[in-house]
């Protein structure tokens, strides 16, 4: 990194979007190396961004991290610092870094800020360290920060290949402009997650239905991959909806070792179920909309572009009673450098 010459390398800023899993990652083959038990498919959410600036500076005595203008909890700094260490190891450097990150969306609403965060950190950090990694290397590295972050590296629609190490990364399935799907995320008051995704992954194999899910996933992946490539909305929507329910059935029937008082994991809130009912009703009434859910109460609604206004009107009516907010996305770009580098 040329530290003898210069103590402070140029700052690099990268931007990334969170991604929404159409086929979910749930359960790990190897927790330490963040290897998944199954492949997954996602689309980047253009309506939400994380922008991260990294600068390595030998004058710093430790890594510094600021999120949305304030220092985050120590655990978040430790996670960022561990990722910076992976970058230092690759670059053969010992310089600490200053990291400033900003999210355009609120935390704790069911949009994985860690995916966008680690994708942006990986790109800004490696470039700031003077490295020029290929997309697949960036994706594999982002995976070590947060599993699903590997899918926020490619543009548009991505598939994360299971792999067994460096070959566990996401590849592009289709560009963002391939299909102008609209994703309306409905979220409710931020609430601390009772059970983290990490605990959910760990607990998943304890479900008596987990093997059945894994067996079904090969077909689900083929169907979703083909539906994306052929822009077959009806097939995509129904398959994605059933796939999300499969994850939640696993969660509800999982045993959390550290919390034996829980019979299962419930990520849903009453508003989640109300929207699930509303989606089924809207479809019966002729509005072709499908939902998917991650490990939280937020509901992500999928429609084709022509039905965007009709969906927003229907959601607006429902939210009068339920009290949530919406964020609208189209398929988004992957991680990219926006300044420096
Ligand atoms: C339900 O382990 O990537 O969103 O690092 O906590 O954000 P965090 O999550 P991660 O698990 C994501 C689980 C999921 C499904 C998915 O995105 O595939």
């Amino acid at each position: 990194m040329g530290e003898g010459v210069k103590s402070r390398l140029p700052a690099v800023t990268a931007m990334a979007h969170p991604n929404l899993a159409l086929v979910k990652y749930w359960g790990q083959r190897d927790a330490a190396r963040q290897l998944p038990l199954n492949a997954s498919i996602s689309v980047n959410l253009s309506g939400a961004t994380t922008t991260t600036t990294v600068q390595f500076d030998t004058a710093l005595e430790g890594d510094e991290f600021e999120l949305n203008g304030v220092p985050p909890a120590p655990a978040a700094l430790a996670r960022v610092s561990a990722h910076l260490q992976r970058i230092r190891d690759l670059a053969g450097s010992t310089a600490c870094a200053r990291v400033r990150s900003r999210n355009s969306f609120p935390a704790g609403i069911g949009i994985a800020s860690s995916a966008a965060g680690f994708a942006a950190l990986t790109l800004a950090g490696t470039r700031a360290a003077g490295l020029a990694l290929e997309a697949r290397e960036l994706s594999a590295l982002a995976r070590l920060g947060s599993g699903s972050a590997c899918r926020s590296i490619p543009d548009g629609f991505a598939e994360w290949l299971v792999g067994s190490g460096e070959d566990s990364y996401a590849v592009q399935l289709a560009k963002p402009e391939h299909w102008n799907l609209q994703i309306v995320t409905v979220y409710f008051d931020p609430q601390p997650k009772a059970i983290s995704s990490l605990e959910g992954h760990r607990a998943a194999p304890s479900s008596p239905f987990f093997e059945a899910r894994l067996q079904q996933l090969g077909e689900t992946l083929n169907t979703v991959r083909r539906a994306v490539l052929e822009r077959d909305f009806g097939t995509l929507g129904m398959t994605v909806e059933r796939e999300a329910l499969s994850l939640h059935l696993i969660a509800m029937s999982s045993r959390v070792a550290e919390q034996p008082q829980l019979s299962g994991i419930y990520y849903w809130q009453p508003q989640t179920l109300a929207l699930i009912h509303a989606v089924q009703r809207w479809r019966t009434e002729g509005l072709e909309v499908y939902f998917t859910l991650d490990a939280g109460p937020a509901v992500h609604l999928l429609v084709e572009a022509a039905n965007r206004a009709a969906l927003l009107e229907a959601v607006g009516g429902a939210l009068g009673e339920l009290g949530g907010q919406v964020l609208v996305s189209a398929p988004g770009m992957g991680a990219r450098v926006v300044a420096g580098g």
Side-chain angles (χ1 to χ4, degrees):
M1 286 173 75
E3 281 149 30
V5 185
K6 242 190 202 175
S7 69
R8 190 187 276 187
L9 291 174
V12 177
T13 304
M15 193 181 254
H17 298 291
N19 66 76
L20 173 64
L22 301 171
V23 179
K24 314 287 182 184
Y25 151 50
W26 202 239
Q28 298 171 323
R29 200 150 77 93
D30 181 332
R33 293 191 300 151
Q34 302 263 53
L35 294 174
L37 272 165
N38 64 276
S40 52
I41 293 179
S42 64
V43 58
N44 289 335
L45 296 176
S46 70
T49 51
T50 298
T51 309
T52 301
T53 303
V54 180
Q55 181 164 40
F56 287 95
D57 186 344
T58 51
L60 291 174
E61 294 195 347
D63 292 321
E64 293 177 1
F65 177 39
E66 209 182 83
L67 181 60
N68 298 324
V70 289
L77 171 62
R79 207 169 158 195
V80 163
S81 209
H83 204 59
L84 290 168
Q85 191 53 46
R86 294 182 187 111
I87 295 172
R88 280 188 282 265
D89 290 346
L90 281 175
S93 157
T94 54
C96 291
R98 201 174 289 114
V99 178
R100 257 178 268 114
S101 195
R102 207 163 266 286
N103 292 332
S104 70
F105 53 99
I109 61 166
I111 295 182
S113 54
S114 56
F118 279 97
L121 178 65
T122 301
L123 181 57
T126 51
R127 290 288 182 86
L131 296 166
L133 301 188
E134 285 180 20
R136 69 174 73 159
E137 295 170 313
L138 283 171
S139 176
L141 182 56
R143 184 198 88 232
L144 295 172
S146 160
S148 55
C150 71
R151 298 187 311 232
S152 282
I153 297 289
D155 290 342
F157 298 82
E159 177 162 358
W160 175 5
L161 312 169
V162 174
S164 56
E166 283 170 13
D167 55 348
S168 181
Y169 52 75
V171 293
Q172 183 180 73
L173 268 188
K175 294 182 175 161
E177 56 274 20
H178 167 73
W179 197 2
N180 187 19
L181 274 184
Q182 300 289 301
I183 304 116
V184 175
T185 299
V186 183
Y187 60 94
F188 308 99
D189 282 347
Q191 314 192 346
K193 224 192 254 188
I195 305 283
S196 67
S197 300
L198 183 62
E199 288 172 293
H201 285 299
R202 264 196 223 131
S206 70
S207 163
F209 311 112
F210 190 63
E211 275 306 316
R213 168 175 165 74
L214 288 185
Q215 267 174 31
Q216 196 183 36
L217 270 172
E219 198 186 316
T220 303
L221 284 158
N222 287 338
T223 305
V224 168
R225 195 184 303 112
R226 198 170 52 232
V228 167
L229 295 177
E230 293 175 1
R231 292 186 283 259
D232 176 351
F233 186 63
T235 302
L236 180 86
M238 194 52 98
T239 313
V240 160
E241 197 167 301
R242 292 200 166 121
E243 157 57 12
L245 291 171
S246 154
L247 181 154
H248 284 268
L249 292 176
I250 296 302
M252 288 177 196
S253 53
S254 292
R255 292 165 193 217
V256 184
E258 303 75 28
Q259 301 204 49
Q261 80 283 7
L262 301 181
S263 57
I265 306 172
Y266 288 81
Y267 289 113
W268 298 5
Q269 290 294 328
Q271 299 98 315
T272 316
L273 188 55
L275 272 174
I276 290 175
H277 282 297
V279 167
Q280 310 235 18
R281 194 178 63 244
W282 293 333
R283 251 193 340 251
T284 310
E285 292 166 0
L287 174 60
E288 197 178 11
V289 48
Y290 298 92
F291 69 80
T292 181
L293 313 157
D294 278 341
V299 180
H300 303 269
L301 302 171
L302 304 174
V303 276
E304 289 181 293
N307 282 331
R308 172 192 154 121
L311 176 64
L312 287 174
E313 200 186 317
V315 168
L319 294 195
E321 283 169 39
L322 301 175
Q325 298 186 63
V326 299
L327 189 139
V328 183
S329 297
M333 304 280 286
R336 66 261 187 210
V337 170
V338 292

